[in-house]
Amino acid sequence: MTGPMMDENTYGNAIHVSYDGMKTWMFLGRTFAYDERDEDFLNARSGQWLYAEGGTPDEAARPSTGSNDSAYNTDSASWWAPDIVAKPDGSGYWLYTCVVDGAGDNSGMLVDGGHYARACILLYESDSLDPGTFRPVLDESGDPAVLMQSTILRGEKVKDVNGIDPQIIYDPEGNMYMAYGSFGSGNYILELDPETGLRKDGKGWQTHDDIRGWIENDIQDLFSGTPAEGDSAAIGWEHDYYGKNISRENMEAPVIARHDNVTTMDEDGNILEENKTYYYSMHSYDGLADNYQMWGGRSESVWGIYRSTTGGIVYNSGTGSSANEGNKYMGAFTWHNKSEGNTELDIILPGHNDLFTSDAGVSVAAYITRKNGDTGKFVTQLHQYYLNSYGEIVINPNRYSGEMDRGVTAQELFAFTEGGKFKMVVSLNRRDTAAGSFNSVNTSRDVVLTQSDTDANSGDIYDGSTATGTPIGTWKMYGNGYIKFTFTETLEGTGGDSGDSVFYGVVRPAWLGDQNKSGFTITCHGQTEGNKRSMSMFMNNYSTITGDGLVGE
């Protein structure tokens, strides 16, 4: 995206497809041959490790099915969360993916009386993106190279490291990194070799005993370490095998995007920083089929520490926990008062996302949501995202429809808004869906913005569909379509308090699916002094624009 204050480049994934990679790859034409996966992986040493442990057949542990689970074997393996990136030398493409053993919640490799779930991260390569052309990158032994492994004891109480969900990011000097992880102690990042695509430290296949030794000793000590001054808990520790920790506890599928040449400013037009490089992390908090939400933070280093707009760490202690920290970018919500015949989907359990910028300079967040609250029916959506004047990510709550990224003036906004009326959604640190039905419990409500008689770029905001009673706050537009809201009290959402009273955002053109017309959206993030976590807030205007075109075309 470009503009007077922002001239950034973002470097995220080329292709990062969510959740069940093999199912998604079928739609892409199967990026490697499904029928050959046994030969590619399961009969190699890494596959033997996934489904066997021990020196001889008599000593080897084998898949063991626990009560209430279906039996599993090598046919149960699943490939998840692929990330495809171009090789730096232009010779082809690398495909990073994770393979999991397919064991049920009570099953796994039976080792020393315990059931262990197995997973590992592998690398494939191809000269092209043609279907069926990807083949495994091999290690010095001729087996598929393994970048990360996990062997997790079912029912364990310790904080583990889960070797799944790889994602690649480069720094400005061309150094290459892989973020990964799911739940347990948190998510991690390690450095790769841009010539081979493998770990820079050369580490590969590991034994069950080594992994369990690191988990039960090293990781527990690091997780329980002394927090840095000002932090609420330990974060950012390093381990020789797992790399650098970048988040804490219950989250998965980390994605990191890089933006260069970022200039930030305050609401009075004062330049705060120029030509900065920032890294943005985004993670899926809570369970995939339970309470998925998109949280994260920002850092000046790819290694972190990633922090919220007000300095909190990326930390999920549990759904709605008062200990949670970070920026909540997106959760489940629905627009009220939808127009007749609209085709808009409610946002349900959003996550497992990516951040990337097209060749045309459009930055988008791609993520899965669920259709009609059915946790088994995934829908991938693209939503444009922007940087507010403080250089923080704010996501358009509407699906991307080809609209340009340009600043909107207050004059234009109010000229095409019915009576200054908007629909407002406020994110909360809580569960966003109803247990069982998984339909959204966070619903928009009407607010009205009025313009000051003396300054058309500022005014008041009122709760409800009319500008009556006492305003709940003020707004101010500045710069290239930036906006600040200051509320008299912390802003309330559906069934709770956001904890934020100050929000910074942008005003942009959007296709308003809830109204089946072009209009404007306001997307903001909380930046309230003293908070450790920050909530997003969205508004769609009641648009008076007619016709089929998009604003700004």
Side-chain angles (χ1 to χ4, degrees):
M1 82 186 76
T2 59
M5 297 304 300
M6 299 293 178
D7 183 15
E8 322 94 336
N9 297 312
T10 184
Y11 299 85
N13 297 345
I15 303 174
H16 177 89
V17 187
S18 300
Y19 187 48
D20 192 328
M22 186 54 69
K23 289 182 180 177
T24 309
W25 291 345
M26 291 178 183
F27 291 102
L28 293 176
R30 295 181 181 172
T31 51
F32 72 83
Y34 184 92
D35 293 339
E36 297 178 18
R37 64 177 188 162
D38 286 357
E39 179 182 345
D40 286 348
F41 171 71
L42 297 176
N43 294 329
R45 183 173 63 176
S46 50
Q48 293 168 358
W49 173 85
L50 202 64
Y51 289 97
E53 182 71 28
T56 69
D58 292 336
E59 298 171 344
R62 297 297 177 191
S64 175
T65 302
S67 59
N68 301 319
D69 283 346
S70 299
Y72 80 103
N73 53 40
T74 56
D75 291 333
S76 304
S78 294
W79 273 251
W80 289 354
D83 184 12
I84 301 175
V85 294
K87 294 182 179 181
D89 64 6
S91 63
Y93 300 88
W94 283 316
L95 184 153
Y96 293 81
T97 186
C98 56
V99 184
V100 297
D101 62 11
D105 291 342
N106 304 299
S107 304
M109 290 301 309
L110 188 60
V111 182
D112 297 330
H115 286 102
Y116 290 86
R118 307 292 191 104
C120 63
I121 294 174
L122 299 178
L123 176 59
Y124 286 73
E125 64 181 347
S126 174
D127 294 337
S128 70
L129 291 174
D130 293 336
T133 61
F134 280 87
R135 292 293 181 268
V137 173
L138 303 180
D139 63 18
E140 294 178 353
S141 302
D143 291 315
V146 177
L147 286 82
M148 180 57 56
Q149 294 162 264
S150 57
T151 179
I152 299 175
L153 178 62
R154 297 297 193 184
E156 70 180 357
K157 301 299 182 183
V158 302
K159 298 298 182 181
D160 219 306
V161 180
N162 201 344
I164 64 173
D165 296 348
Q167 192 269 344
I168 306 303
I169 182 69
Y170 292 86
D171 68 15
E173 289 72 40
N175 298 310
M176 186 180 185
Y177 308 87
M178 180 181 77
Y180 71 94
S182 175
F183 297 93
S185 58
N187 299 159
Y188 290 77
I189 188 171
L190 54 84
E191 189 167 359
L192 304 182
D193 182 345
E195 293 187 3
T196 66
L198 300 174
R199 294 176 62 124
K200 186 175 181 179
D201 60 17
K203 289 182 171 65
W205 184 82
Q206 307 293 323
T207 68
H208 168 85
D209 288 343
D210 282 345
I211 293 173
R212 292 311 304 173
W214 296 328
I215 292 297
E216 294 170 11
N217 297 290
D218 300 356
I219 295 301
Q220 304 320 298
D221 290 343
L222 293 167
F223 183 86
S224 303
T226 302
E229 184 177 355
D231 287 344
S232 58
I235 199 166
W237 59 81
E238 297 183 52
H239 187 270
D240 284 345
Y241 179 64
Y242 295 112
K244 180 81 176 287
N245 166 264
I246 58 172
S247 69
R248 186 177 174 90
E249 290 203 63
N250 304 316
M251 63 193 73
E252 64 183 2
V255 57
I256 298 174
R258 186 185 105 222
H259 284 266
D260 298 326
N261 305 315
V262 177
T263 296
T264 60
M265 64 182 292
D266 66 17
E267 62 271 27
D268 296 319
N270 299 310
I271 301 299
L272 305 176
E273 295 178 308
E274 294 184 281
N275 301 318
K276 295 286 291 186
T277 289
Y278 285 118
Y279 298 87
Y280 300 84
S281 77
M282 206 166 287
H283 315 251
S284 298
Y285 277 28
D286 300 326
L288 172 77
D290 179 47
N291 190 47
Y292 240 25
Q293 302 175 355
M294 293 157 56
W295 291 62
R298 186 184 74 177
S299 172
E300 294 186 25
S301 168
V302 69
W303 295 106
I305 294 173
Y306 293 85
R307 296 190 178 277
S308 71
T309 62
T310 49
I313 61 177
V314 180
Y315 175 22
N316 181 20
S317 179
T319 303
S321 170
S322 61
N324 291 347
E325 300 181 25
N327 296 330
K328 182 175 180 179
Y329 295 109
M330 183 72 73
F333 73 90
T334 183
W335 298 109
H336 76 290
N337 196 21
K338 296 177 183 177
S339 65
E340 184 177 352
N342 83 90
T343 58
E344 188 70 2
L345 295 176
D346 291 343
I347 305 299
I348 304 293
L349 305 179
H352 226 294
N353 62 288
D354 191 13
L355 303 170
F356 62 91
T357 296
S358 71
D359 291 339
V362 176
S363 295
V364 296
Y367 64 88
I368 56 170
T369 181
R370 322 302 162 87
K371 188 174 182 180
N372 300 323
D374 186 335
T375 61
K377 294 181 180 178
F378 299 101
V379 178
T380 300
Q381 294 195 164
L382 298 180
H383 288 232
Q384 197 168 177
Y385 77 83
Y386 323 93
L387 302 185
N388 66 17
S389 72
Y390 277 82
E392 300 285 356
I393 284 181
V394 289
I395 300 178
N396 189 324
N398 306 280
R399 285 181 288 169
Y400 176 55
S401 299
E403 59 269 43
M404 66 173 58
D405 171 17
R406 66 170 181 84
V408 174
T409 66
Q411 178 182 8
E412 184 181 12
L413 177 65
F414 282 88
F416 295 101
T417 300
E418 179 186 333
K421 192 163 67 171
F422 294 78
K423 303 177 184 183
M424 179 173 70
V425 173
V426 182
S427 293
L428 303 175
N429 176 39
R430 56 164 288 176
R431 185 186 180 95
D432 294 324
T433 56
S437 71
F438 297 101
N439 291 312
S440 173
V441 296
N442 192 9
T443 305
S444 65
R445 70 178 190 267
D446 285 343
V447 295
V448 174
L449 274 61
T450 61
Q451 290 178 284
S452 167
D453 293 335
T454 58
D455 180 9
N457 290 314
S458 65
D460 294 324
I461 178 170
Y462 294 81
D463 241 334
S465 56
T466 59
T468 56
T470 303
I472 61 172
T474 60
W475 62 271
K476 177 181 180 178
M477 288 187 65
Y478 58 99
N480 185 30
Y482 299 126
I483 191 166
K484 177 188 179 182
F485 289 93
T486 305
F487 293 92
T488 56
E489 298 180 359
T490 51
L491 187 60
E492 295 282 334
T494 304
D497 192 316
S498 70
D500 276 309
S501 58
V502 177
F503 294 80
Y504 288 90
V506 302
V507 186
R508 292 293 187 268
W511 179 260
L512 310 180
D514 63 305
Q515 300 172 52
N516 275 339
K517 62 173 64 176
S518 184
F520 301 105
T521 195
I522 301 173
T523 174
C524 305
H525 217 90
Q527 192 167 317
T528 307
E529 187 176 353
N531 282 359
K532 290 287 189 178
R533 58 179 173 268
S534 302
M535 297 292 109
S536 54
M537 183 265 282
F538 314 122
M539 292 185 187
N540 276 355
N541 76 324
Y542 278 85
S543 176
T544 60
I545 296 173
T546 59
D548 297 328
L550 292 169
V551 173
E553 281 193 330

